[in-house]
Structure formats: structure tokens, C-alpha cells
Amino acid sequence: MSGPIDLPRMLAARDRRAGWQRELLERYRLPLVSFTMNIAGPVKNSPSIRRGFRLGRELLLGQLAREKAAVVATREVDEDTGCEGLYVVEMDPRSLKAITCQIEDGTPLGRLLDLDVLSPGGEKLDRPEPRRCLICGGPARECARSRAHPVPELQRETCRLLEEAVTQWDAETAATLAVRALLHEVCTTPKPGLVDRANSGSHRDMDIFTFMDSSAGLWPYFAQCVRAGRETACRPAPETFAALRWPGKLAEGRMLAATGGVNTHKGAIFSLGLACGALGRLDREDWAEPERVLAQVAAMTAGSVERELAGAAGKKTSTAGEDLYRRYGVTGVRGQAEAGFPAVRDHGLPVLERGIREGRTPEQAGTAALLALLAHTDDTNMIARGGIQVQKREAARLRELLAEQPYPAAETIAALDAGYIRQNLSPGGSADLLALCYLLHSLKKIPGND
């Protein structure tokens, strides 16, 4: 957090901003939005204030894009004196002012956003209605003039508004990307033995629409996972994992209701839910670093294999995962999570991103990433359908194929698909990890991570 700023520094920052405003207005002869934050007290910048500024910027730029108003010049500052943004816009000044007033008055964070509009001649456009006070809702200017509310009270309300707005922004963003990752996974075609746009693979009880129904119903769960991560961020990481258990069970029930009892996404509810919980524990600036996200997952699930698999050895009845661990030492998705999803980190995600960098479509790169994941994991779905020897055989076969063709042709993958369908094989565990790859990749490209 930045330290307190004295009056001379604030005045100097204001003078600098006024100079830049004149320079941009003279150069472009277009209206300009001057964006700062309304922050009471001597501390004008902090991680939460910075994130609030970025959310305000996203709101502004989103509405300008909606109106097809081009931003022809931008100048931004992030210093101890605060965050500032100047945006030259091709738009009628009064229409531009209407947009900024709607943002200030119509969004929860808007009360902390100061979006002035200057005409091409430098005149500041007035608001049709006065701004309201943070505390009492009266005219803000009158309360400020009379110092009706003590600074600590204003600071507490500012912190509350910032925290609520940023948490909601993060939860909505992550949930949207998680659902999109599920949709990208199911639409990736061809995928050996799996549901895709071409066929239902080795499955008789589901198709691509079943997966879409399930995906649509999981958005609230992923948002809840982010909030759980944020609420437990200051506590030991395993407490976040514990906080996700009940929401995960509710999400499984929601999935089964949406699909008529078909298990489409149980594994993805676990893995993507963990990822969203990790995002809640992290600052948004860290979201673009997969290693940090996966390290949080590992910290959250530390000891879970010992507790949930090894600890179940004496039970009279066991789950499929417990049975595989007892018979073969296979830890499945629990082991992947506790290790920070090494198959994703070291194989699937690098293949996906390298393919995209080299000009392949996300679908083409995603198909290769799926094969890389299958080649380097003990896919429990494959074991359940074909036995462990078949799973090991297919993993070895794919490692040989990928050594020669890192990005196999669609015809090669289609042949694998036909063979898996004949053998009733389906690498559903690897498909869940592919969705995680898509999510981690998309986190590098979202607004607010710059």
C-alpha cells in the first residue's frame, strides 16, 4: 500500500493532469474523459484501489464499445497520488457525459468513480443531478463542504464498496471463463472416445447438448468457489478446500438435475472448482500465471490423498477411486490436484499454448493437448472401462505417436476415435484436465490483468 500523500503532492498531480488534458485536447480536438477515484483520506492508492480503478476502466470502455465510440488516445498513471486515466473519444460530449453519469449512478462501485467529461474546447460538462454522499445519500458536495462525516467513516465505506465490487467482478469473470472452458472442451473435435460435435464417442447416455445443459447450470457454483477462496484467503489453504466441499456436492446435484441423472462433469466440478477457489485466494494480477494458480491448488489439497484414499483402506465399502488406489496405487484426480496438476502444467497446457502460438486453432491445439494429457496421466475413466493394462498400453502408444507427430492430423485422431468407440474406451479424466487447460490459458487474456 502507498503511504499518506500530502497536499502539495496532490496539487502537483492535479496540475500535471490538467497539463495532459490541455495537450490531448489541442492535439485531437475531441472530447475527453478524465477518470480518477474518489478516495477519502491521505492514502490514495493501494491494491484494492488499483483494482477498483481497473474495474471502472472496464465499465467505461465496455460502454464506449457498446456505443461504437472509438477511443483514439489513452494516457494512464498508477502512482502514490492515485490512479488516473485520460481517454480521448470520438463521440458527442453530452452523450459521453450521459454514459459516465450512468456508470457513476448505476453501478455499486460508481460512487467511488470520478468520470469528468471535457468538451473539445476544454469546458467541463456538468451533471444533470448532484452526486450523492457515500454515507447519508445527500448531496455529496454539501457533505464534503460541511465535513458532515468523519474521514474514518468514509474510509470504511470506501473499503466495503471496493471489496464487494471487486469480489463480484472476480467471481463473475472466473465463473464465466470456467463455463466457457467446459464448452470449449466438449466442442473440441475430434476427441477419441469422448462426446464432441461429431458424435457421442463411447457414451450412449449423453450427447453434446447434455454437456451444454450441465455447463450452463454450473456458473453459480464456480462463482461461489471464487467467493469461498476470497473469504478464506487469509486462513490456511486447506480451509479453502474444506469450504468448497458442500458447494461441490450441491453442484453435483444441480448437474444431475440438468442432465436427467447423467454424470457429465463430476470431475470438472472438482478440478475447476479447485481452480476457482485458488483464484479467489490470489490477487487478480496473479491469475495470468498458471504456476501460481496450480501451486494454490496444491496447497489447498495438501494431504488429501493420505486422508481420503490411504485412510480408506480399512473400509468395508469403497468408492471407485479408493478401489483403484488400493489395487494399483492410482491416485487419480486427487493425486493430480495435490501435486498441482503436473499433467496440466507440464504437458497439456504447454501443448495447447504452443499450438496456438504456431498458428493452429484452439481446437486443433486442444485436441493435441488432450492426447498429451492422456499420454501422461493414469486416466481413471480409461482404467474403469478397459482395465489398467489397456490404459497403460494406450498411454505408451500415444507417447510414441506424439514423439513423431506432436500435433497429429485430424484423420489420425479420427482413427483413434473409431478404435476407442469399438473398445468402449473414454478418457473422461483427461477431458476434465483439458477444460482446466482452457481455463488457465484464458486467464492470461482477460481485462484487468495488465
Side-chain angles (χ1 to χ4, degrees), residues 266-341:
K266 184 173 182 178
I269 286 171
F270 179 79
S271 55
L272 294 190
L274 284 173
C276 287
L279 295 178
R281 292 182 61 85
L282 292 169
D283 290 335
R284 193 174 177 122
E285 289 81 357
D286 295 328
W287 287 15
E289 300 183 37
E291 296 81 4
R292 286 183 177 269
V293 178
L294 296 178
Q296 276 293 318
V297 171
M300 289 160 54
T301 56
S304 60
V305 169
E306 179 67 24
R307 290 192 306 272
E308 299 179 21
L309 294 181
K315 290 172 56 177
K316 292 183 179 180
T317 60
S318 60
T319 65
E322 291 165 353
D323 185 56
L324 288 176
Y325 180 77
R326 186 178 63 251
R327 295 175 63 191
Y328 307 116
V330 172
T331 59
V333 71
R334 290 183 181 89
Q336 278 286 321
E338 188 172 348
F341 287 107

Side-chain angles (χ1 to χ4, degrees), residues 377-450:
T377 55
D378 295 324
D379 190 302
T380 55
N381 290 69
M382 290 285 282
I383 298 173
R385 285 174 173 259
I388 195 164
Q389 295 305 320
V390 169
Q391 181 270 319
K392 290 186 178 298
R393 180 198 72 200
E394 289 304 311
R397 177 186 176 198
L398 287 174
R399 287 194 293 271
E400 292 180 4
L401 170 64
L402 296 174
E404 297 179 0
Q405 304 176 53
Y407 296 90
E411 295 79 7
T412 301
I413 303 171
L416 284 171
D417 187 26
Y420 279 20
I421 292 173
R422 285 196 303 273
Q423 299 172 76
N424 195 36
L425 298 176
S426 173
S430 299
D432 295 332
L433 298 183
L434 176 60
L436 181 55
C437 291
Y438 278 130
L439 172 60
L440 293 171
H441 175 66
S442 67
L443 288 168
K444 298 182 177 183
K445 301 178 177 299
I446 59 176
N449 278 353
D450 52 340

Side-chain angles (χ1 to χ4, degrees), residues 28 32 35 84 94 103 167 176 192 213 280 306 316 335 367 377 399 428:
Y28 293 99
L32 178 149
F35 172 27
E84 308 172 29
R94 295 194 178 279
I103 293 172
T167 297
T176 298
D213 291 343
E306 179 67 24
K316 292 183 179 180
T367 301
T377 55
R399 287 194 293 271

Side-chain angles (χ1 to χ4, degrees), residues 35-350:
F35 172 27
T36 57
M37 300 288 289
N38 286 319
I39 305 296
V43 176
K44 299 300 182 182
N45 208 346
S46 69
S48 60
I49 293 171
R50 185 175 298 112
R51 296 174 76 199
F53 176 84
R54 291 174 177 173
L55 173 53
R57 178 182 61 189
E58 183 175 283
L59 293 171
L60 173 64
L61 297 181
Q63 290 305 301
L64 294 179
R66 177 177 173 273
E67 296 294 331
K68 298 182 173 57
V71 179
V72 300
T74 299
R75 183 171 291 178
E76 295 179 341
V77 170
D78 181 353
E79 296 183 355
D80 290 353
T81 52
C83 296
E84 308 172 29
L86 300 176
Y87 309 95
V88 179
V89 185
E90 287 185 343
M91 191 176 193
D92 171 71
R94 295 194 178 279
S95 299
L96 185 56
K97 185 63 179 178
I99 287 176
T100 61
C101 288
Q102 289 170 348
I103 293 172
E104 290 175 342
D105 298 337
T107 61
L109 187 66
R111 300 168 77 182
L112 301 180
L113 309 180
D114 193 359
L115 295 160
D116 291 334
V117 174
L118 304 181
S119 72
E123 297 84 11
K124 179 180 173 180
L125 275 67
D126 292 330
R127 291 174 54 89
E129 299 290 339
R131 299 204 68 167
R132 315 311 297 177
C133 172
L134 280 177
I135 305 300
C136 68
R141 184 169 297 179
E142 293 181 12
C143 288
R145 185 182 299 115
S146 64
R147 298 185 178 181
H149 310 290
V151 170
E153 185 178 13
L154 291 166
Q155 290 174 318
R156 285 193 296 271
E157 181 64 9
T158 296
C159 289
R160 185 190 69 79
L161 287 172
L162 282 170
E163 182 62 29
E164 288 186 0
V166 168
T167 297
Q168 180 177 344
W169 183 34
D170 285 351
E172 291 178 353
T173 300
T176 298
L177 294 178
V179 171
R180 190 173 76 177
L182 294 179
L183 296 175
H184 282 192
E185 181 277 312
V186 74
C187 287
T188 296
T189 306
K191 295 196 306 293
L194 293 162
V195 173
D196 57 27
R197 300 195 317 278
N199 57 53
S200 293
S202 300
H203 300 272
R204 303 292 178 267
D205 58 348
M206 61 183 77
D207 58 20
I208 194 169
F209 292 100
T210 317
F211 275 79
M212 290 182 174
D213 291 343
S214 175
S215 300
L218 293 177
W219 191 97
Y221 162 68
F222 293 131
Q224 189 175 3
C225 289
V226 178
R227 290 185 176 276
R230 189 61 46 83
E231 291 167 1
T232 56
C234 294
R235 301 204 288 272
E239 293 194 25
T240 300
F241 185 31
L244 299 179
R245 288 187 177 276
W246 178 241
K249 292 178 180 180
L250 293 176
E252 287 184 22
R254 188 178 297 119
M255 170 195 71
L256 295 173
T259 62
V262 179
N263 173 17
T264 48
H265 283 127
K266 184 173 182 178
I269 286 171
F270 179 79
S271 55
L272 294 190
L274 284 173
C276 287
L279 295 178
R281 292 182 61 85
L282 292 169
D283 290 335
R284 193 174 177 122
E285 289 81 357
D286 295 328
W287 287 15
E289 300 183 37
E291 296 81 4
R292 286 183 177 269
V293 178
L294 296 178
Q296 276 293 318
V297 171
M300 289 160 54
T301 56
S304 60
V305 169
E306 179 67 24
R307 290 192 306 272
E308 299 179 21
L309 294 181
K315 290 172 56 177
K316 292 183 179 180
T317 60
S318 60
T319 65
E322 291 165 353
D323 185 56
L324 288 176
Y325 180 77
R326 186 178 63 251
R327 295 175 63 191
Y328 307 116
V330 172
T331 59
V333 71
R334 290 183 181 89
Q336 278 286 321
E338 188 172 348
F341 287 107
V344 169
R345 182 189 63 231
D346 301 332
H347 301 286
L349 186 60

